[in-house]
Amino acid sequence: MPNYFSYNQSMTTLLTWSPTKIKAFRQALLTWYDANRRNLPWRVDHDPYHVMVSELMLQQTQVNTVIPYYQRFMAAFPTVAALAAAPESAVLKAWEGLGYYSRARNLHRAAKQLMADYGGQWPTTAAGLRELAGIGPYTAGAIASIAFNQPEPAIDGNAFRVFARLFCIDADITKPATRQLFADLIRQLIDPQRPGDFNQAVMDLGSSYMRAKDPDAAHSPVAAFDESLRTDTVLAYPVKTKKAKPQVVQYFALAIHSPAGWLLEQRPSTGLLANLWLMPLVARAAWVKQPLAEQITLAAAEFSQRAGHTVTLRAAGLPLVRHTFTHRQWQLTILTAETKAFALDFLPAQWVPSLSATNLALPTVQKKLTQAIQEGQA
DNA sequence: AACCCGTGGAT
DNA sequence: TATCCAAGGGT
């Protein structure tokens, strides 16, 4: 069966719907949305700051996960000006546990841009919004349409899935070039009177009747427009290539304790968990074939050199801590050291009296380490 | 273009 | 348990 769209064809000539059908689609979608829209904390108004914070948090993150973070973030940073004035450490602490921490740093950067470069005046077009840190094609379209009533598509995973099914589009949505295909289509479908509601309705549709797993396309408000339903191919869309498995990396995690507390090291300002705080790690890859006792001696030597202070490390006898990121799985073997409170002149590090009550932003993997250590002490 | 960047829920 | 995935952006 031929698809309505193929990878190298122009969308303009392939939208087979009549103007009448397009209007009927908009009405079916928006009527359903008006009666069934989710009540979400960032939907109480169309304030661009509220939209921006919610959209950044919602990138690759589920709605239910975001809600409490959004509430706390708004309480801590009620306005763009407040966010711009805050230290990055406070912003990261508010983001702690939400993941993809570059989003928090970009959001902070965008707030500073708005205050410093734009005099607090928001750009109101998608192209203008794209100049702000952390705002890509999706988020620019979302803010432009929701906050500024611009007829811009907001093409997230929901929109890809919804329109791939409605039109049986088999282009691979993981390929950047495919976005243009969908954008050309959605620009013709979007309701020029209510673009923000149109985009949000597509998202609500994509998280309910047209969800990825266990959809209920037959009862969707746009079932009559759904070519994949008509051809019984709903689950064939969208087409996407699979992700690679995360690679395993082994480290020693150093639980170094002194009268001043536990030692936490700040991660580098780029890369994984940038600027967050974590017990010092020592890579084991170069030593994997050596006996454990030898590895511990080598790890102590390496860390002592880094810290400018000699420590003696011991196996803690605690369970291996595993933590999986998008592209890596860490396997952490905890080593312990009891030491005096040496000066931290050579490490971006701090002594913290309590691992569970600190103003430093801790990634989830550190919380797993903390839990393993506390259970070992109990 | 291909790869990097977190986390928790669902199955 | 393993896998997928959820309102993507940066480089």
Side-chain angles (χ1 to χ4, degrees), chain A residues 161-162 165 205-220 226 228-229 232-238:
Chain A
R161 182 170 55 258
V162 165
R165 285 177 178 169
L205 195 56
S207 66
S208 57
Y209 294 101
M210 298 185 73
R211 68 177 73 89
K213 294 177 181 177
D214 191 29
D216 185 16
H219 296 100
S220 118
D226 189 341
S228 72
L229 175 63
D232 195 22
T233 56
V234 171
L235 294 180
Y237 303 98

Side-chain angles (χ1 to χ4, degrees), chain A residues 23-96:
Chain A
K23 286 179 184 171
F25 174 76
R26 291 170 182 160
Q27 181 168 358
L29 182 64
L30 289 170
T31 299
W32 170 77
Y33 180 71
D34 288 338
N36 298 283
R37 66 198 295 258
R38 290 176 287 180
N39 292 320
L40 300 170
W42 47 88
R43 283 182 173 174
V44 297
D45 59 38
H46 291 168
D47 184 312
Y49 176 61
H50 297 166
V51 178
M52 176 172 73
V53 172
S54 65
E55 291 301 340
L56 267 289
M57 288 188 168
L58 285 160
Q59 287 171 9
Q60 298 290 285
T61 308
Q62 296 185 2
V63 166
N64 287 340
T65 301
V66 166
I67 290 172
Y69 278 92
Y70 178 83
Q71 307 275 33
R72 274 182 267 129
F73 198 92
M74 278 308 155
F77 313 108
T79 63
V80 192
L83 179 58
E88 185 187 286
S89 58
V91 180
L92 283 174
K93 188 65 181 177
W95 208 272
E96 179 182 281

Side-chain angles (χ1 to χ4, degrees), chain A residues 31 45 67 80 83 113 115-116 124 143 180 197 260 295 304 369:
Chain A
T31 299
D45 59 38
I67 290 172
V80 192
L83 179 58
Q113 280 180 276
M115 297 310 294
T124 59
I143 300 175
Q180 187 61 46
D197 286 344
Q295 292 185 40
S304 295
L369 288 168

Side-chain angles (χ1 to χ4, degrees), chain A residues 117-134:
Chain A
D117 302 344
Y118 293 77
Q121 200 71 16
W122 286 80
T124 59
T125 65
L129 290 161
R130 284 290 299 275
E131 301 299 317
L132 299 173

Side-chain angles (χ1 to χ4, degrees), chain A residues 43-376:
Chain A
R43 283 182 173 174
V44 297
D45 59 38
H46 291 168
D47 184 312
Y49 176 61
H50 297 166
V51 178
M52 176 172 73
V53 172
S54 65
E55 291 301 340
L56 267 289
M57 288 188 168
L58 285 160
Q59 287 171 9
Q60 298 290 285
T61 308
Q62 296 185 2
V63 166
N64 287 340
T65 301
V66 166
I67 290 172
Y69 278 92
Y70 178 83
Q71 307 275 33
R72 274 182 267 129
F73 198 92
M74 278 308 155
F77 313 108
T79 63
V80 192
L83 179 58
E88 185 187 286
S89 58
V91 180
L92 283 174
K93 188 65 181 177
W95 208 272
E96 179 182 281
L98 196 54
Y100 282 147
Y101 297 96
S102 68
R103 295 181 297 171
R105 303 204 298 144
N106 284 334
L107 175 57
H108 188 218
R109 216 173 300 157
K112 286 174 169 291
Q113 280 180 276
L114 279 166
M115 297 310 294
D117 302 344
Y118 293 77
Q121 200 71 16
W122 286 80
T124 59
T125 65
L129 290 161
R130 284 290 299 275
E131 301 299 317
L132 299 173
I135 297 185
Y138 160 74
T139 307
I143 300 175
S145 64
I146 297 169
F148 299 115
N149 212 35
Q150 300 287 311
E152 290 285 342
I155 312 173
D156 67 337
N158 289 305
F160 274 124
R161 182 170 55 258
V162 165
F163 292 104
R165 285 177 178 169
L166 290 180
F167 293 90
C168 289
I169 303 171
D170 64 353
D172 186 339
I173 66 166
T174 68
K175 296 188 181 304
T178 302
R179 175 175 297 274
Q180 187 61 46
L181 206 73
F182 280 76
D184 290 343
L185 170 65
I186 297 170
R187 281 185 192 285
Q188 300 175 70
L189 297 175
I190 194 167
D191 190 318
Q193 305 303 318
R194 301 178 59 189
D197 286 344
F198 180 96
N199 284 331
Q200 294 183 90
V202 170
M203 297 179 209
D204 280 14
L205 195 56
S207 66
S208 57
Y209 294 101
M210 298 185 73
R211 68 177 73 89
K213 294 177 181 177
D214 191 29
D216 185 16
H219 296 100
S220 118
V222 295
F225 303 84
D226 189 341
E227 182 66 9
S228 72
L229 175 63
R230 190 183 73 78
T231 58
D232 195 22
T233 56
V234 171
L235 294 180
Y237 303 98
V239 174
K240 57 199 300 188
T241 54
K242 292 180 181 176
K243 298 171 187 171
K245 287 183 181 176
Q247 292 207 324
V248 174
V249 190
Q250 296 182 313
Y251 293 101
F252 289 124
L254 310 189
I256 299 174
H257 187 257
S258 80
W262 299 91
L263 189 66
L264 290 181
E265 197 173 11
Q266 188 170 33
R267 302 273 303 168
S269 59
T270 59
L272 189 60
L273 305 177
N275 284 4
L276 274 71
W277 296 79
L278 188 65
M279 286 176 170
L281 302 182
V282 177
R284 298 177 65 178
W287 312 325
V288 286
K289 293 179 179 174
Q290 303 190 38
L292 181 60
E294 298 289 338
Q295 292 185 40
I296 294 174
T297 301
L298 289 164
E302 182 174 314
F303 177 75
S304 295
Q305 185 164 15
R306 264 165 59 190
H309 175 82
T310 301
V311 298
T312 302
L313 295 171
R314 294 185 173 79
L318 297 174
L320 195 65
V321 171
R322 298 171 192 271
H323 188 78
T324 304
F325 302 95
T326 306
H327 289 289
R328 289 178 215 170
Q329 181 186 120
W330 283 3
Q331 293 183 357
L332 306 181
T333 300
I334 300 174
L335 303 179
T336 59
E338 190 64 40
T339 177
K340 68 176 187 179
F342 58 87
L344 302 171
D345 296 331
F346 304 102
L347 291 177
Q350 287 186 212
W351 296 106
V352 298
S354 166
L355 289 172
S356 47
T358 170
N359 289 329
L360 304 180
L362 309 179
T364 296
V365 65
Q366 175 56 48
K367 301 200 170 187
K368 286 187 185 178
L369 288 168
T370 298
Q371 184 178 354
I373 291 163
Q374 288 173 347
E375 287 176 359

